[in-house]
Amino acid sequence: MFPLKPHSLQARFLLGLLLILACLGGFFALSLFMHLERLVENEARDRAALILAQAEAVQSYVRNTLRPAMYRNLSEDTFVIEAMSTSFVTRAVMNDNNLAHDRFTYRRVAVGARNPAYEASNRERAIIARFQEDPELTRVEDVTEEEGERLFITARPVRFETSCLRCHGDPAEAPPVLLAMYGAERGFWRKTGDLAGMTMVALPMDQAVSGMREAVLSFGVLFAGGALVLFAVIHAFFNRLVVHNLRRMGGVMRRHFPDEADKTMPRRGQPDVGIDDLLGDMESLALHLSEARAKLRDYAANLEGMVQERTSDLATEATARRTDVELFVGLLDRLNRSSGKGELLAASLALIARRFGADRAAYACVLSASDFHAWPDRAVQPELPADWHDLAAEGAPRLTPRAWFIPVQTSDTTRGLLCLYWDADHASGPGTADLAQAVGRQLGIAMDNLDALDNLLRQNALLDSIFEGISDPLLLLGGDGRVVLANSSARRLTQSLKGDDGRGPGLTALLDAADIAARMGDGPVSRAVTLRDGRSFAVNAYPLGGRLERGGRTVAYLRETTDERRMLERVQQHEKLVAVGKLAAGLAHEINNPLGVIHCYADLLRAAATDGQAQADIDVIMRHTEQARKVVRDLLDFARPKQAERGPCDVGEVLAGLADVFRPRARAVRARIVPDLPGLADLADDGGAGCAPLPQVLADRSGLEQILTNLLLNALDAVETDAPALRDDANGANGEDGEARSCRPGTVADTAGNTGGNTDGGDDLGIPPASPHPLRRGLVVLAARHLPEDGEVVVHVIDNGPGIPEEHLPRLFDPFFTTKAAGRGTGLGLAVVFGIMRDMGGRIEARNLTPADLIPPNQVPAAHGHGLTCRVDLAALFAEAARPDSGASAPPAELARGAVFTLHLPAADRDHPAAPTEHDA
C-alpha cells in the first residue's frame, strides 16, 4: 500500500470521502432526532386523546344511563353525588390508583369552581380564556415546561347542557346535598351552552425525550464505527483497483516497449511511487508513442500500390456479392408476391438457375419424391441420388461438376432438396458451397414464412368467426377510448340505441357513462350502467397486455341486464312487503284495542259533558282517535289482504263505473275525467274502428276496483287546482262525458299529488279557494287496450299533475313511503296496490310522461311499440287543459308533464296461459 503524501491525489480523495461521511452522519442523526421527536409528540397526542375519550365515555355513561336510572329508582329530591355527578365520577375514575402507572395528570377545572380544589390555575385560566374568546375552538394542544419538566397538554372545553342545570342553575332547585357540601354561592346560575370549564390531560415527555437522545447517540456511535469501516474498505479498494491497475499498466508498457519505458518510467524499482507520479510517467510514454506514430505515417505512402491492387480484388468480390444479394432480394420479392408454395417455388427456381447458369432446376420434398417442382419443364421429375434423404438430413450441400444438391433447411427442420443441373461441366469456387447452403436456407425460410402467413390468415378467419359469433356485444377500444372494432351484436346494439332516426347517443353514451376511457390503465373494469331510457347494462373492460400491444387497447364486453334488474327489484319489493306486512299486523293488533277503549270513554264523556269547551275538546280527542283507527285499518288491510280471485271480470265496465263515481269528486277539485275505452265513439274520429274490443281479464273485480280507486284518488290529488268549481247547467255547458267543459281550472295549488300524491292511496281533500284567473285545468285519462299478441289488457291512469320526482320512483311502492302532507296519507296505498296486482298475477308500473307519449296515435312509428296505447289525442287534451282560455297549442315538450300508472292484466281469452312469474310464485 502506498504511503499518503500531503498533497497527493490519493490523500485528497480520502480526505474528501471522510468529510462526506461526516456530513452524512450529522444529517442522518439530525433527521432521526426530528423524526423521533415527531413520533413522541404524536404518541403523546394519541394517548391524550384516548384518555379524554375515556373520560368522556364515563361522563356520557353517568349522564345518559346512570343518572336517569338513579332518578327512576330514587325520589326527585335525592341526589347521590358519587353516582349522579359527572364531574365527581370522572375525577374519581381518572385519578384511580390503578391508572397511576400510565403517568398522566387528569384535571377538570373551572373559573369559580364550586369545589375550590378544582379552581383553575393561572395556566389553566389562560386556556379557558382562549375557549371563551373562540367558541368554535374545540381542542388546545401545547408542549410546555412546568417546574423543569416538559409536558404535553391537551385540553377540551366543557359546556353546560340542559340536564346540568338542575345542579348548576337556580340554587333553589339544586339537590340539598350539594348545598350542604358546597353552599349556594359558587357554581350556580349557569345557562345552557355556557362554558363550564375544561378537561385537561398532561403527559410528561422527559422520559421519552431522554430515550430519544440515547437512540440518536447510539445511532451516531454506530454510524461513526460503520463510517470508519467503510473508509478503510474504500481505501483498500482504491489502492487495489486504481493504484494496482496503474502499476499493471506500467508493466504492460515495459513489456511491449522496454526501451521507451526505461526512458520515460525511471521509477520502476521505487515502491513509494504515488498516483501522480505514475500519471506523469504515462503522459511521457504517450508523448513518445505519438512521436512514433508520426514516423509511421511516412511509411504509409509506400503502401499506395498495394492498396490499389487490393482494391481491385475487393471490387471483383463485391460484384459477386452484389449478385448474391440481388438473388436474395429476388427471393424475398417472390415471397411477397406469391400466394402459395407452388407459385413461390416456380419463381424461385428460375432465379436461382439464372444466377448460377444452370440449365435445369428442381425441388423435391423430403416427405415424398413425387411432390416436386421443376424448371423450365414442370413435368420432368428430378434425378436424385440414392442417398438423397441422408443428404438432406445432413444439411451440407453436395457439389458435382454437372449437378448440385442443396438441402433446403431452416433452423429446426429440413423441408426438401434443391437440385441444379448443367449439360456440361461447371466449375465452383472456394466459397460456392457456403453460398449454395445460404441459398438453401433462404429458400427454406421463405417457405416457412409463407406457411406462417397462411396459418395466420386461417387463424384470423377463425378469430373473426368467433368474434362475430359471440351473442353479446364485444368491442375493441383504442387508447383514446374510440371503438376500433365491433362485432355484429355491438352494431345491432348501436342501431338500437340510435333509434330509427339515427339521432340517439349510440354506444358513446354507454361507454361514457361507464367511464371506460378514464379507467383503461387501471386493469380490468366492471361497471353497471343505467341509461336515461331505463335500460341497464353490465360493462366489463379488459386491457390488452403483452409486448406487441403498445397502443393501450381494451376489450369491452357488454351485457344488457335490464330484465335481470327489474326482476331483482320486484323480488326485493316482494320481500319488503312480506317483512313490513308481518310488522304491520302485530303493530295494528297492539294498538287497536287501546284506541277502542279511548274512543268508547271519549264518547261517554261527550255524552255526559255539558260545557261547550269540554265537548269541543272531546271532539278533538275522538277525531284524532278516528284518524289513528283509520291508520290501524290500513295496516290490517295491508298485512292481511283478502285472497284475490282470478276473475274473470269486465275491466271496461269497472273503468266506466269508476269514472261515473269519481266525476263529482273530480268536479269538486276542478278536474276532468276522460275514459278512453273501445266503443266510446265520442273520443275518436273512427268511432273505435280498428280497436280490439276489451276481453274479460283474470282479476278479482273488488280487488281491481280497489286498485283503480287508489290510483284515481292519487291522480285527482295530483291535478287539484285553485280554479272555480265546475257547474252543471241546462244550457249545454256540460260535454259529452258529463263534465262542465266551459270551466277553466287554474294553476296547481297542491303539488303533493305526483310529487307525493302518487305515492299513496287517496284521502279526502278540502276544496281550495277559487282563483279569478284560471290558467290550468286538471285532467285524468283512463285508457284501456287489448294486446292480443301479449295476451293481456293494458290499463293506463294518466294525469297532468306535476309528475313524480325521479328520486322517488324507485321507492314508489315501498310501504309507508309518502310525500303528502301530515295527516293526508299513510304511505300504504300503493304498497297495497302492488300486493293485490302481484296476487292477481299482473304487474304495475309507474313513470312520468314524455313528449313521445303525446304524439297522436296515427303518427306513432311502428318501431315505437305499444307506447301508451291510447286512442284519444292526448296532445289536444293536454293543450286544452294547459291553456283553456287562449286555445293556442304548445309543443309536446312543454305539455308532457304528469304521471302514468300502467296495469298489465292477463286476458281471459288468450290461447296459451302466460308463464308463471315471480308474482305468481
Side-chain angles (χ1 to χ4, degrees), residues 132 324 542 580 623 670 696 705 846 862 868 903:
Q132 289 176 339
D324 297 336
Y542 306 95
V580 176
R623 184 169 63 254
R670 281 76 86 189
Q696 290 190 333
E705 289 177 348
L868 287 179
L903 306 180

Side-chain angles (χ1 to χ4, degrees), residues 46-64 85-95 99 104-108 154-158 198-201:
D46 293 340
R47 286 188 58 201
L50 183 61
I51 294 170
L52 288 177
Q54 180 181 357
E56 291 177 358
V58 173
Q59 295 173 7
S60 176
Y61 176 78
V62 173
R63 184 182 300 111
N64 299 326
S85 172
T86 58
S87 302
F88 188 94
V89 174
T90 304
R91 293 190 182 102
V93 172
M94 301 308 295
N95 294 326
L99 302 177
F104 70 90
T105 302
Y106 174 81
R107 293 270 295 167
R108 178 166 178 170
T154 298
R156 293 181 180 176
V158 178
M198 71 172 183
T199 57
M200 183 184 72
V201 174

Side-chain angles (χ1 to χ4, degrees), residues 476 542-546 549 552-555:
L476 178 63
Y542 306 95
L544 297 179
E549 184 57 45
R553 294 186 175 185
T554 301
V555 174

Side-chain angles (χ1 to χ4, degrees), residues 239-428:
N239 288 326
R240 177 64 181 171
L241 299 178
V242 178
V243 178
H244 179 69
N245 287 331
L246 288 175
R247 296 184 63 186
R248 287 180 59 193
M249 184 173 61
V252 170
M253 290 301 210
R254 292 188 185 94
R255 287 195 301 271
H256 292 283
F257 307 100
D259 298 335
E260 290 80 2
D262 290 339
K263 295 177 183 178
T264 59
M265 304 178 68
R267 302 179 181 86
R268 178 178 180 181
Q270 300 179 7
D272 58 346
V273 176
I275 296 177
D276 295 339
D277 298 332
L278 290 175
L279 292 177
D281 295 341
M282 290 299 164
E283 185 176 358
S284 300
L285 180 60
L287 180 61
H288 183 76
L289 293 176
S290 177
E291 294 174 355
R293 184 179 62 179
K295 294 179 180 179
L296 290 176
R297 290 176 180 173
D298 297 336
Y299 298 112
N302 300 326
L303 298 177
E304 184 176 357
M306 298 175 61
V307 170
Q308 291 180 353
E309 182 180 358
R310 180 59 180 165
T311 301
S312 177
D313 296 338
L314 290 177
T316 304
E317 184 178 356
T319 302
R321 294 292 176 265
R322 187 180 304 109
T323 306
D324 297 336
V325 171
E326 291 176 354
L327 172 62
F328 291 129
V329 171
L331 291 176
L332 291 176
D333 182 64
R334 292 301 182 272
L335 172 63
N336 295 331
R337 296 183 180 182
S338 301
S339 59
K341 184 170 65 174
E343 185 178 349
L344 172 66
L345 288 174
S348 300
L349 290 177
L351 284 176
I352 297 172
R354 293 191 187 100
R355 165 62 182 87
F356 295 104
D359 299 314
R360 299 183 308 281
Y363 169 81
C365 180
V366 72
L367 299 179
S368 174
S370 60
D371 183 10
F372 67 91
H373 297 268
W375 178 89
D377 189 354
R378 297 183 179 182
V380 178
Q381 187 170 2
E383 300 174 0
L384 301 175
D387 59 344
W388 73 279
H389 283 94
D390 297 335
L391 176 62
E394 291 174 0
R398 180 182 296 176
L399 307 181
T400 64
R402 295 199 175 194
W404 289 1
F405 301 100
I406 305 169
V408 178
Q409 292 182 323
T410 57
S411 59
D412 55 353
T413 183
T414 300
R415 301 187 65 93
L417 195 67
L418 175 63
C419 307
L420 299 178
Y421 302 97
W422 289 266
D423 295 335
D425 292 345
H426 178 74
S428 58

